[in-house]
Amino acid sequence: MDGTKPVMESTAEENQEEREESKGCFECCIKCLGGVPYASLVATILCFSGVALFCGCGHVALTGTLTMLENHFSRITTDHATLTIVIQTMQYIIYGIASFFFVYGIILLAEGFYTTSAVKKELQSQFKTTVCGRCITATFVFLTYILGLAFLGIFGFSSIPVFLFYNMWTTCAALKSPMANITDPDSICVDVRQYGIIPWNATPGKACGSTLGDICSTSEFYLSFHLYIVACAGAGATLIALIHYLMILSANWAYLRSSCNQNEYQDIKTKDDDVEEGGSKEGLNSSYS
């Protein structure tokens, strides 16, 4: 019996140590999860998803559009040389947008981590925020606002090819519909030149009747149409993410500013209390003397 008692005591001590260790790990996990800026994390995921959809689908859709125009609407290379340069330039811009927003999203997420921990430690009076930190947050607010306006224009611009392809798709659907009762199918045409995509001297420049139906049945048209829709949706998602970022940054800046004013008030109040306490002590000393 005497031999089993030390064994039982050591087992109880080991169990207690394991419980304390697990409790410490649990508290550490809760503390780490409490420091995660979930709003910034959601905005970053939405921004990355939107930019990926816009850049990836937009790049492939532009390539398919150029191939369709070369095969069916402008067979002479010199007629669409300017359009080729414009599409290649837009594809390079897409590369730049993807790279920039990848870096910018990570920076804003890191700023969210910094601001979240700074506000919590500020409330706990562990340290005070600096003017530089508040200026950085204000700079991100301004830059995000400018990017939001820019992507609002990009979102509107990305809806233009969706509109053009939709018009072409509805024309093809009317051409193939048995309810249309069309006597002369060759009279139904789509003239791409009227949109200013290719010059008026481009040949053939338009497609009519069965030729138009064949174009709508090609993989380039079908794929480009749906990719433009997805790219437009990606631009909209990115715009929503930027608005979300703007609200987060504005709230963080307001929190930091209000906590700074509160700390300044506390410092002034502490100095006044010290002055009053010192004055009262001097009054007491003079009365005793």
Side-chain angles (χ1 to χ4, degrees), residues 106-136:
I106 293 177
I107 292 175
L108 288 183
L109 183 61
E111 199 273 343
F113 273 99
Y114 160 75
T115 309
T116 301
S117 60
V119 169
K120 288 187 176 181
K121 292 181 180 181
E122 185 86 29
L123 295 175
Q124 296 172 0
S125 300
Q126 293 185 8
F127 75 102
K128 298 179 181 180
T129 57
T130 61
V131 177
C132 181
R134 296 193 297 273
C135 289
I136 291 174

Side-chain angles (χ1 to χ4, degrees), residues 186-219:
D186 293 334
S187 62
I188 299 178
C189 303
V190 171
D191 194 344
V192 182
R193 296 172 296 184
Q194 65 181 343
Y195 300 119
I197 300 175
I198 55 178
W200 282 103
N201 59 355
T203 54
K206 64 179 182 179
C208 304
S210 59
T211 304
L212 179 60
D214 294 337
I215 294 174
C216 293
S217 300
T218 58
S219 60

Side-chain angles (χ1 to χ4, degrees), residues 13 34 169 187 194 212 222 261:
E13 292 177 357
W169 178 77
S187 62
Q194 65 181 343
L212 179 60
Y222 183 83
N261 293 334

Side-chain angles (χ1 to χ4, degrees), residues 5 21 24 33 56 70 86 124 139 158-159 163 179 183 222 280-281:
K5 187 175 181 180
E21 184 178 355
L33 291 175
E70 290 176 347
V86 171
Q124 296 172 0
T139 303
S158 62
S159 64
F163 173 74
M179 303 297 293
T183 57
Y222 183 83
S280 62
K281 288 181 178 179

